[in-house]
Amino acid sequence: MARKLKTYQTSLGFFDLAIAAPSMKAALEAWGADSNLFHQGAAKESHDLDVIAATMAKPGVVLKRPVGTDRPFSERAELPTDLGGGGPTRAARKSTGNKAKKPSSRPVDKAAERKAALAFEKEQKRRQLEQAKEETARQKDRERRQQAVDKARAALDKAAQEHAKRAAAIQAEVEALEKRSQAERARWDKEKERLEATLRRARG
């Protein structure tokens, strides 16, 4: 059964964010928050009728507006034009605070609530599917990179083995030449000794 949605609001960076979600946890997940903004006092349930209407029209979708303003929430919002004041103006904060305290006077529309809840679940499934596709793409990219690394490592290993084989063959040739050199030296020493003895005898 679809859960009843509530509108939650916070400020992250240069934007106010709002979403219609069934729970604070769902809102935090949609915002991509890595901490509990509600416990920190940085997020709250909104009672602003305009904000509620905007989020219920697009349940599960994170809506934005420039931080500290009372502009309508939308999926795409421009950066705030006045960033020199260090945050929302006192008037804007006061206006926002007043709106947050204003109780809802609209009648509860059960059919609309169910429709919004179903729309939220649909949006949540779409977002999860999109995240799954992105993770699949990242996994494929990791696999391609790993295959490239494995191929390069295999080529390096093969080249190293070929080098070791050639170096061993050269070393064997060097050792064989050294043996031949030693044998030739020994032969020449004997031959030289014999010829010198013959020369001495010839001289008398």
Side-chain angles (χ1 to χ4, degrees), residues 117-158:
L118 291 172
F120 172 84
E121 291 180 359
K122 183 178 179 181
E123 172 63 20
Q124 190 175 46
K125 288 179 181 178
R126 183 199 66 77
R127 188 163 54 242
Q128 290 172 348
L129 181 60
E130 184 176 327
Q131 291 173 347
K133 287 181 179 179
E134 290 175 354
E135 177 58 30
T136 299
R138 285 193 294 268
Q139 180 62 29
K140 287 183 178 179
D141 185 56
R142 286 194 292 267
E143 290 175 357
R144 283 195 296 269
R145 285 200 302 268
Q146 188 59 47
Q147 288 175 356
V149 169
D150 293 342
K151 185 177 180 180
R153 182 177 290 116
L156 177 60
D157 292 343
K158 183 178 179 181

mmCIF file of all heavy atoms in Angstrom, residues 117-158:
data_model
loop_
_atom_site.group_PDB
_atom_site.id
_atom_site.type_symbol
_atom_site.label_atom_id
_atom_site.label_comp_id
_atom_site.label_asym_id
_atom_site.label_seq_id
_atom_site.Cartn_x
_atom_site.Cartn_y
_atom_site.Cartn_z
ATOM 1 N N ALA A 117 1.307 9.515 -3.772
ATOM 2 C CA ALA A 117 2.138 8.452 -3.208
ATOM 3 C C ALA A 117 2.572 7.467 -4.284
ATOM 4 O O ALA A 117 3.727 7.039 -4.333
ATOM 5 C CB ALA A 117 1.374 7.726 -2.094
ATOM 6 N N LEU A 118 1.650 7.113 -5.167
ATOM 7 C CA LEU A 118 1.993 6.210 -6.269
ATOM 8 C C LEU A 118 2.996 6.860 -7.204
ATOM 9 O O LEU A 118 3.925 6.212 -7.708
ATOM 10 C CB LEU A 118 0.723 5.816 -7.035
ATOM 11 C CG LEU A 118 -0.250 4.911 -6.275
ATOM 12 C CD1 LEU A 118 -1.549 4.758 -7.056
ATOM 13 C CD2 LEU A 118 0.383 3.538 -6.019
ATOM 14 N N ALA A 119 2.820 8.172 -7.437
ATOM 15 C CA ALA A 119 3.764 8.894 -8.297
ATOM 16 C C ALA A 119 5.152 8.924 -7.660
ATOM 17 O O ALA A 119 6.173 8.822 -8.344
ATOM 18 C CB ALA A 119 3.260 10.311 -8.554
ATOM 19 N N PHE A 120 5.194 9.059 -6.328
ATOM 20 C CA PHE A 120 6.486 9.044 -5.629
ATOM 21 C C PHE A 120 7.174 7.700 -5.832
ATOM 22 O O PHE A 120 8.367 7.629 -6.116
ATOM 23 C CB PHE A 120 6.297 9.305 -4.136
ATOM 24 C CG PHE A 120 7.564 9.113 -3.348
ATOM 25 C CD1 PHE A 120 8.491 10.143 -3.249
ATOM 26 C CD2 PHE A 120 7.834 7.900 -2.736
ATOM 27 C CE1 PHE A 120 9.667 9.952 -2.546
ATOM 28 C CE2 PHE A 120 9.009 7.713 -2.039
ATOM 29 C CZ PHE A 120 9.924 8.741 -1.941
ATOM 30 N N GLU A 121 6.407 6.613 -5.642
ATOM 31 C CA GLU A 121 6.993 5.284 -5.806
ATOM 32 C C GLU A 121 7.508 5.088 -7.236
ATOM 33 O O GLU A 121 8.568 4.503 -7.452
ATOM 34 C CB GLU A 121 5.948 4.213 -5.474
ATOM 35 C CG GLU A 121 5.582 4.177 -3.991
ATOM 36 C CD GLU A 121 4.553 3.121 -3.684
ATOM 37 O OE1 GLU A 121 4.096 2.431 -4.619
ATOM 38 O OE2 GLU A 121 4.187 2.975 -2.494
ATOM 39 N N LYS A 122 6.757 5.608 -8.196
ATOM 40 C CA LYS A 122 7.190 5.514 -9.591
ATOM 41 C C LYS A 122 8.486 6.272 -9.814
ATOM 42 O O LYS A 122 9.414 5.789 -10.466
ATOM 43 C CB LYS A 122 6.088 6.064 -10.510
ATOM 44 C CG LYS A 122 6.417 5.953 -11.990
ATOM 45 C CD LYS A 122 5.260 6.479 -12.839
ATOM 46 C CE LYS A 122 5.583 6.386 -14.329
ATOM 47 N NZ LYS A 122 4.477 6.902 -15.161
ATOM 48 N N GLU A 123 8.550 7.493 -9.255
ATOM 49 C CA GLU A 123 9.758 8.311 -9.389
ATOM 50 C C GLU A 123 10.936 7.646 -8.684
ATOM 51 O O GLU A 123 12.062 7.650 -9.179
ATOM 52 C CB GLU A 123 9.511 9.706 -8.810
ATOM 53 C CG GLU A 123 10.752 10.584 -8.715
ATOM 54 C CD GLU A 123 11.367 10.903 -10.063
ATOM 55 O OE1 GLU A 123 10.677 10.784 -11.102
ATOM 56 O OE2 GLU A 123 12.556 11.282 -10.086
ATOM 57 N N GLN A 124 10.658 7.055 -7.507
ATOM 58 C CA GLN A 124 11.726 6.370 -6.768
ATOM 59 C C GLN A 124 12.259 5.183 -7.564
ATOM 60 O O GLN A 124 13.482 4.970 -7.646
ATOM 61 C CB GLN A 124 11.195 5.900 -5.417
ATOM 62 C CG GLN A 124 12.272 5.399 -4.462
ATOM 63 C CD GLN A 124 11.698 5.058 -3.108
ATOM 64 O OE1 GLN A 124 10.661 4.405 -3.006
ATOM 65 N NE2 GLN A 124 12.359 5.493 -2.046
ATOM 66 N N LYS A 125 11.355 4.419 -8.179
ATOM 67 C CA LYS A 125 11.786 3.283 -9.000
ATOM 68 C C LYS A 125 12.589 3.767 -10.207
ATOM 69 O O LYS A 125 13.582 3.155 -10.599
ATOM 70 C CB LYS A 125 10.572 2.479 -9.454
ATOM 71 C CG LYS A 125 9.909 1.685 -8.334
ATOM 72 C CD LYS A 125 8.688 0.936 -8.838
ATOM 73 C CE LYS A 125 8.023 0.165 -7.708
ATOM 74 N NZ LYS A 125 6.790 -0.544 -8.171
ATOM 75 N N ARG A 126 12.140 4.903 -10.805
ATOM 76 C CA ARG A 126 12.876 5.446 -11.951
ATOM 77 C C ARG A 126 14.281 5.862 -11.538
ATOM 78 O O ARG A 126 15.259 5.576 -12.229
ATOM 79 C CB ARG A 126 12.125 6.664 -12.512
ATOM 80 C CG ARG A 126 12.777 7.259 -13.779
ATOM 81 C CD ARG A 126 12.310 8.685 -14.018
ATOM 82 N NE ARG A 126 12.764 9.573 -12.963
ATOM 83 C CZ ARG A 126 14.012 10.029 -12.881
ATOM 84 N NH1 ARG A 126 14.931 9.668 -13.759
ATOM 85 N NH2 ARG A 126 14.351 10.844 -11.886
ATOM 86 N N ARG A 127 14.377 6.497 -10.360
ATOM 87 C CA ARG A 127 15.686 6.937 -9.880
ATOM 88 C C ARG A 127 16.578 5.737 -9.564
ATOM 89 O O ARG A 127 17.767 5.724 -9.867
ATOM 90 C CB ARG A 127 15.504 7.816 -8.647
ATOM 91 C CG ARG A 127 16.787 8.497 -8.184
ATOM 92 C CD ARG A 127 16.514 9.649 -7.241
ATOM 93 N NE ARG A 127 15.693 9.249 -6.113
ATOM 94 C CZ ARG A 127 14.501 9.744 -5.846
ATOM 95 N NH1 ARG A 127 13.963 10.657 -6.628
ATOM 96 N NH2 ARG A 127 13.812 9.340 -4.793
ATOM 97 N N GLN A 128 15.979 4.699 -8.952
ATOM 98 C CA GLN A 128 16.752 3.496 -8.646
ATOM 99 C C GLN A 128 17.226 2.804 -9.915
ATOM 100 O O GLN A 128 18.353 2.315 -9.990
ATOM 101 C CB GLN A 128 15.900 2.538 -7.807
ATOM 102 C CG GLN A 128 15.646 3.026 -6.389
ATOM 103 C CD GLN A 128 14.655 2.153 -5.644
ATOM 104 O OE1 GLN A 128 13.974 1.306 -6.239
ATOM 105 N NE2 GLN A 128 14.543 2.363 -4.337
ATOM 106 N N LEU A 129 16.344 2.772 -10.949
ATOM 107 C CA LEU A 129 16.724 2.172 -12.222
ATOM 108 C C LEU A 129 17.858 2.952 -12.873
ATOM 109 O O LEU A 129 18.810 2.372 -13.414
ATOM 110 C CB LEU A 129 15.503 2.131 -13.150
ATOM 111 C CG LEU A 129 15.736 1.509 -14.540
ATOM 112 C CD1 LEU A 129 16.184 0.066 -14.407
ATOM 113 C CD2 LEU A 129 14.467 1.586 -15.385
ATOM 114 N N GLU A 130 17.756 4.285 -12.780
ATOM 115 C CA GLU A 130 18.799 5.135 -13.349
ATOM 116 C C GLU A 130 20.133 4.914 -12.621
ATOM 117 O O GLU A 130 21.183 4.814 -13.250
ATOM 118 C CB GLU A 130 18.381 6.598 -13.231
ATOM 119 C CG GLU A 130 19.351 7.570 -13.892
ATOM 120 C CD GLU A 130 18.842 9.001 -13.835
ATOM 121 O OE1 GLU A 130 17.614 9.189 -13.901
ATOM 122 O OE2 GLU A 130 19.676 9.920 -13.737
ATOM 123 N N GLN A 131 20.060 4.804 -11.292
ATOM 124 C CA GLN A 131 21.272 4.549 -10.514
ATOM 125 C C GLN A 131 21.856 3.180 -10.858
ATOM 126 O O GLN A 131 23.077 3.022 -10.943
ATOM 127 C CB GLN A 131 20.961 4.626 -9.019
ATOM 128 C CG GLN A 131 20.636 6.033 -8.536
ATOM 129 C CD GLN A 131 20.164 6.063 -7.097
ATOM 130 O OE1 GLN A 131 19.850 5.030 -6.502
ATOM 131 N NE2 GLN A 131 20.101 7.254 -6.513
ATOM 132 N N ALA A 132 20.968 2.188 -11.066
ATOM 133 C CA ALA A 132 21.432 0.850 -11.427
ATOM 134 C C ALA A 132 22.115 0.870 -12.788
ATOM 135 O O ALA A 132 23.155 0.218 -12.996
ATOM 136 C CB ALA A 132 20.258 -0.126 -11.434
ATOM 137 N N LYS A 133 21.536 1.629 -13.739
ATOM 138 C CA LYS A 133 22.150 1.745 -15.058
ATOM 139 C C LYS A 133 23.517 2.408 -14.972
ATOM 140 O O LYS A 133 24.475 1.981 -15.619
ATOM 141 C CB LYS A 133 21.238 2.548 -15.994
ATOM 142 C CG LYS A 133 19.989 1.806 -16.449
ATOM 143 C CD LYS A 133 19.159 2.667 -17.387
ATOM 144 C CE LYS A 133 17.922 1.928 -17.875
ATOM 145 N NZ LYS A 133 17.085 2.769 -18.765
ATOM 146 N N GLU A 134 23.603 3.466 -14.143
ATOM 147 C CA GLU A 134 24.881 4.161 -13.977
ATOM 148 C C GLU A 134 25.919 3.235 -13.349
ATOM 149 O O GLU A 134 27.079 3.221 -13.757
ATOM 150 C CB GLU A 134 24.692 5.408 -13.107
ATOM 151 C CG GLU A 134 23.894 6.511 -13.795
ATOM 152 C CD GLU A 134 23.626 7.686 -12.860
ATOM 153 O OE1 GLU A 134 23.970 7.571 -11.663
ATOM 154 O OE2 GLU A 134 23.067 8.696 -13.330
ATOM 155 N N GLU A 135 25.485 2.429 -12.356
ATOM 156 C CA GLU A 135 26.412 1.503 -11.707
ATOM 157 C C GLU A 135 26.855 0.419 -12.692
ATOM 158 O O GLU A 135 28.022 0.016 -12.704
ATOM 159 C CB GLU A 135 25.741 0.861 -10.484
ATOM 160 C CG GLU A 135 26.610 -0.166 -9.781
ATOM 161 C CD GLU A 135 27.936 0.394 -9.315
ATOM 162 O OE1 GLU A 135 28.022 1.602 -9.004
ATOM 163 O OE2 GLU A 135 28.923 -0.379 -9.289
ATOM 164 N N THR A 136 25.907 -0.039 -13.545
ATOM 165 C CA THR A 136 26.266 -1.034 -14.565
ATOM 166 C C THR A 136 27.286 -0.464 -15.537
ATOM 167 O O THR A 136 28.258 -1.130 -15.909
ATOM 168 C CB THR A 136 25.002 -1.475 -15.339
ATOM 169 O OG1 THR A 136 24.081 -2.075 -14.426
ATOM 170 C CG2 THR A 136 25.361 -2.488 -16.416
ATOM 171 N N ALA A 137 27.070 0.800 -15.934
ATOM 172 C CA ALA A 137 28.016 1.453 -16.846
ATOM 173 C C ALA A 137 29.380 1.598 -16.189
ATOM 174 O O ALA A 137 30.420 1.367 -16.819
ATOM 175 C CB ALA A 137 27.479 2.823 -17.264
ATOM 176 N N ARG A 138 29.389 1.984 -14.895
ATOM 177 C CA ARG A 138 30.657 2.109 -14.177
ATOM 178 C C ARG A 138 31.355 0.762 -14.054
ATOM 179 O O ARG A 138 32.579 0.661 -14.204
ATOM 180 C CB ARG A 138 30.424 2.706 -12.786
ATOM 181 C CG ARG A 138 30.135 4.201 -12.794
ATOM 182 C CD ARG A 138 30.236 4.788 -11.392
ATOM 183 N NE ARG A 138 29.196 4.274 -10.515
ATOM 184 C CZ ARG A 138 28.025 4.854 -10.346
ATOM 185 N NH1 ARG A 138 27.714 5.966 -10.999
ATOM 186 N NH2 ARG A 138 27.130 4.343 -9.524
ATOM 187 N N GLN A 139 30.568 -0.301 -13.804
ATOM 188 C CA GLN A 139 31.136 -1.643 -13.687
ATOM 189 C C GLN A 139 31.750 -2.087 -15.011
ATOM 190 O O GLN A 139 32.849 -2.667 -15.035
ATOM 191 C CB GLN A 139 30.048 -2.627 -13.240
ATOM 192 C CG GLN A 139 30.546 -4.062 -13.078
ATOM 193 C CD GLN A 139 31.607 -4.204 -12.016
ATOM 194 O OE1 GLN A 139 31.633 -3.439 -11.062
ATOM 195 N NE2 GLN A 139 32.492 -5.163 -12.176
ATOM 196 N N LYS A 140 31.038 -1.809 -16.111
ATOM 197 C CA LYS A 140 31.570 -2.163 -17.423
ATOM 198 C C LYS A 140 32.863 -1.397 -17.709
ATOM 199 O O LYS A 140 33.812 -1.941 -18.276
ATOM 200 C CB LYS A 140 30.533 -1.874 -18.509
ATOM 201 C CG LYS A 140 29.371 -2.855 -18.523
ATOM 202 C CD LYS A 140 28.409 -2.550 -19.671
ATOM 203 C CE LYS A 140 27.268 -3.567 -19.704
ATOM 204 N NZ LYS A 140 26.309 -3.280 -20.802
ATOM 205 N N ASP A 141 32.878 -0.118 -17.306
ATOM 206 C CA ASP A 141 34.077 0.698 -17.511
ATOM 207 C C ASP A 141 35.236 0.139 -16.684
ATOM 208 O O ASP A 141 36.373 0.070 -17.174
ATOM 209 C CB ASP A 141 33.797 2.147 -17.116
ATOM 210 C CG ASP A 141 34.966 3.066 -17.415
ATOM 211 O OD1 ASP A 141 35.395 3.110 -18.589
ATOM 212 O OD2 ASP A 141 35.459 3.735 -16.492
ATOM 213 N N ARG A 142 34.945 -0.257 -15.441
ATOM 214 C CA ARG A 142 35.984 -0.864 -14.603
ATOM 215 C C ARG A 142 36.489 -2.153 -15.224
ATOM 216 O O ARG A 142 37.705 -2.432 -15.217
ATOM 217 C CB ARG A 142 35.443 -1.137 -13.194
ATOM 218 C CG ARG A 142 35.276 0.108 -12.338
ATOM 219 C CD ARG A 142 35.068 -0.257 -10.875
ATOM 220 N NE ARG A 142 33.787 -0.911 -10.678
ATOM 221 C CZ ARG A 142 32.667 -0.289 -10.337
ATOM 222 N NH1 ARG A 142 32.660 1.033 -10.200
ATOM 223 N NH2 ARG A 142 31.550 -0.956 -10.147
ATOM 224 N N GLU A 143 35.562 -2.962 -15.772
ATOM 225 C CA GLU A 143 35.965 -4.221 -16.397
ATOM 226 C C GLU A 143 36.820 -3.977 -17.630
ATOM 227 O O GLU A 143 37.803 -4.688 -17.870
ATOM 228 C CB GLU A 143 34.722 -5.035 -16.768
ATOM 229 C CG GLU A 143 33.976 -5.589 -15.553
ATOM 230 C CD GLU A 143 32.688 -6.276 -15.943
ATOM 231 O OE1 GLU A 143 32.349 -6.263 -17.160
ATOM 232 O OE2 GLU A 143 32.015 -6.830 -15.062
ATOM 233 N N ARG A 144 36.450 -2.939 -18.430
ATOM 234 C CA ARG A 144 37.256 -2.619 -19.615
ATOM 235 C C ARG A 144 38.653 -2.177 -19.212
ATOM 236 O O ARG A 144 39.649 -2.593 -19.823
ATOM 237 C CB ARG A 144 36.575 -1.518 -20.436
ATOM 238 C CG ARG A 144 35.408 -1.990 -21.276
ATOM 239 C CD ARG A 144 35.032 -0.950 -22.320
ATOM 240 N NE ARG A 144 34.566 0.282 -21.697
ATOM 241 C CZ ARG A 144 33.290 0.527 -21.405
ATOM 242 N NH1 ARG A 144 32.364 -0.372 -21.672
ATOM 243 N NH2 ARG A 144 32.935 1.666 -20.840
ATOM 244 N N ARG A 145 38.719 -1.333 -18.171
ATOM 245 C CA ARG A 145 40.033 -0.884 -17.704
ATOM 246 C C ARG A 145 40.862 -2.059 -17.183
ATOM 247 O O ARG A 145 42.057 -2.149 -17.435
ATOM 248 C CB ARG A 145 39.876 0.180 -16.615
ATOM 249 C CG ARG A 145 39.450 1.533 -17.147
ATOM 250 C CD ARG A 145 39.777 2.636 -16.145
ATOM 251 N NE ARG A 145 39.132 2.406 -14.866
ATOM 252 C CZ ARG A 145 37.940 2.894 -14.540
ATOM 253 N NH1 ARG A 145 37.260 3.624 -15.409
ATOM 254 N NH2 ARG A 145 37.416 2.651 -13.350
ATOM 255 N N GLN A 146 40.183 -2.972 -16.443
ATOM 256 C CA GLN A 146 40.900 -4.130 -15.902
ATOM 257 C C GLN A 146 41.403 -5.031 -17.026
ATOM 258 O O GLN A 146 42.517 -5.568 -16.960
ATOM 259 C CB GLN A 146 39.977 -4.922 -14.962
ATOM 260 C CG GLN A 146 40.698 -6.044 -14.205
ATOM 261 C CD GLN A 146 41.833 -5.540 -13.352
ATOM 262 O OE1 GLN A 146 41.679 -4.575 -12.616
ATOM 263 N NE2 GLN A 146 42.994 -6.162 -13.456
ATOM 264 N N GLN A 147 40.582 -5.196 -18.074
ATOM 265 C CA GLN A 147 41.015 -5.992 -19.217
ATOM 266 C C GLN A 147 42.224 -5.363 -19.899
ATOM 267 O O GLN A 147 43.159 -6.062 -20.300
ATOM 268 C CB GLN A 147 39.860 -6.132 -20.217
ATOM 269 C CG GLN A 147 38.737 -7.055 -19.744
ATOM 270 C CD GLN A 147 37.556 -7.071 -20.696
ATOM 271 O OE1 GLN A 147 37.538 -6.340 -21.689
ATOM 272 N NE2 GLN A 147 36.570 -7.897 -20.413
ATOM 273 N N ALA A 148 42.206 -4.030 -20.021
ATOM 274 C CA ALA A 148 43.345 -3.328 -20.623
ATOM 275 C C ALA A 148 44.595 -3.506 -19.761
ATOM 276 O O ALA A 148 45.699 -3.729 -20.272
ATOM 277 C CB ALA A 148 43.022 -1.847 -20.799
ATOM 278 N N VAL A 149 44.412 -3.424 -18.423
ATOM 279 C CA VAL A 149 45.540 -3.618 -17.513
ATOM 280 C C VAL A 149 46.074 -5.035 -17.623
ATOM 281 O O VAL A 149 47.291 -5.261 -17.690
ATOM 282 C CB VAL A 149 45.106 -3.315 -16.052
ATOM 283 C CG1 VAL A 149 46.183 -3.757 -15.063
ATOM 284 C CG2 VAL A 149 44.833 -1.831 -15.876
ATOM 285 N N ASP A 150 45.156 -6.010 -17.637
ATOM 286 C CA ASP A 150 45.568 -7.415 -17.745
ATOM 287 C C ASP A 150 46.311 -7.672 -19.056
ATOM 288 O O ASP A 150 47.315 -8.392 -19.087
ATOM 289 C CB ASP A 150 44.347 -8.333 -17.654
ATOM 290 C CG ASP A 150 43.707 -8.301 -16.266
ATOM 291 O OD1 ASP A 150 44.394 -7.849 -15.321
ATOM 292 O OD2 ASP A 150 42.546 -8.718 -16.137
ATOM 293 N N LYS A 151 45.813 -7.080 -20.142
ATOM 294 C CA LYS A 151 46.454 -7.261 -21.448
ATOM 295 C C LYS A 151 47.859 -6.657 -21.445
ATOM 296 O O LYS A 151 48.814 -7.278 -21.938
ATOM 297 C CB LYS A 151 45.599 -6.605 -22.536
ATOM 298 C CG LYS A 151 46.123 -6.832 -23.945
ATOM 299 C CD LYS A 151 45.178 -6.213 -24.971
ATOM 300 C CE LYS A 151 45.697 -6.432 -26.385
ATOM 301 N NZ LYS A 151 44.775 -5.830 -27.388
ATOM 302 N N ALA A 152 47.982 -5.443 -20.896
ATOM 303 C CA ALA A 152 49.290 -4.781 -20.844
ATOM 304 C C ALA A 152 50.249 -5.563 -19.949
ATOM 305 O O ALA A 152 51.439 -5.720 -20.273
ATOM 306 C CB ALA A 152 49.129 -3.347 -20.326
ATOM 307 N N ARG A 153 49.721 -6.082 -18.810
ATOM 308 C CA ARG A 153 50.582 -6.848 -17.904
ATOM 309 C C ARG A 153 51.034 -8.157 -18.573
ATOM 310 O O ARG A 153 52.195 -8.566 -18.419
ATOM 311 C CB ARG A 153 49.834 -7.151 -16.609
ATOM 312 C CG ARG A 153 50.685 -7.911 -15.586
ATOM 313 C CD ARG A 153 49.946 -8.143 -14.275
ATOM 314 N NE ARG A 153 49.764 -6.922 -13.540
ATOM 315 C CZ ARG A 153 48.579 -6.380 -13.267
ATOM 316 N NH1 ARG A 153 47.474 -6.944 -13.721
ATOM 317 N NH2 ARG A 153 48.490 -5.277 -12.570
ATOM 318 N N ALA A 154 50.110 -8.796 -19.301
ATOM 319 C CA ALA A 154 50.467 -10.032 -19.997
ATOM 320 C C ALA A 154 51.535 -9.771 -21.054
ATOM 321 O O ALA A 154 52.480 -10.556 -21.214
ATOM 322 C CB ALA A 154 49.216 -10.649 -20.638
ATOM 323 N N ALA A 155 51.402 -8.654 -21.782
ATOM 324 C CA ALA A 155 52.407 -8.308 -22.792
ATOM 325 C C ALA A 155 53.758 -8.042 -22.136
ATOM 326 O O ALA A 155 54.809 -8.452 -22.651
ATOM 327 C CB ALA A 155 51.944 -7.074 -23.577
ATOM 328 N N LEU A 156 53.733 -7.358 -20.984
ATOM 329 C CA LEU A 156 54.979 -7.084 -20.263
ATOM 330 C C LEU A 156 55.620 -8.374 -19.778
ATOM 331 O O LEU A 156 56.841 -8.563 -19.908
ATOM 332 C CB LEU A 156 54.688 -6.154 -19.074
ATOM 333 C CG LEU A 156 55.875 -5.828 -18.164
ATOM 334 C CD1 LEU A 156 56.985 -5.142 -18.945
ATOM 335 C CD2 LEU A 156 55.432 -4.967 -16.994
ATOM 336 N N ASP A 157 54.795 -9.258 -19.210
ATOM 337 C CA ASP A 157 55.323 -10.549 -18.728
ATOM 338 C C ASP A 157 55.926 -11.367 -19.869
ATOM 339 O O ASP A 157 56.992 -11.975 -19.722
ATOM 340 C CB ASP A 157 54.211 -11.343 -18.041
ATOM 341 C CG ASP A 157 53.757 -10.696 -16.733
ATOM 342 O OD1 ASP A 157 54.500 -9.845 -16.216
ATOM 343 O OD2 ASP A 157 52.663 -11.045 -16.242
ATOM 344 N N LYS A 158 55.237 -11.377 -21.012
ATOM 345 C CA LYS A 158 55.725 -12.123 -22.158
ATOM 346 C C LYS A 158 57.057 -11.561 -22.654
ATOM 347 O O LYS A 158 57.998 -12.302 -22.959
ATOM 348 C CB LYS A 158 54.691 -12.084 -23.284
ATOM 349 C CG LYS A 158 55.091 -12.903 -24.518
ATOM 350 C CD LYS A 158 53.989 -12.853 -25.565
ATOM 351 C CE LYS A 158 54.405 -13.661 -26.805
ATOM 352 N NZ LYS A 158 53.341 -13.611 -27.849
#
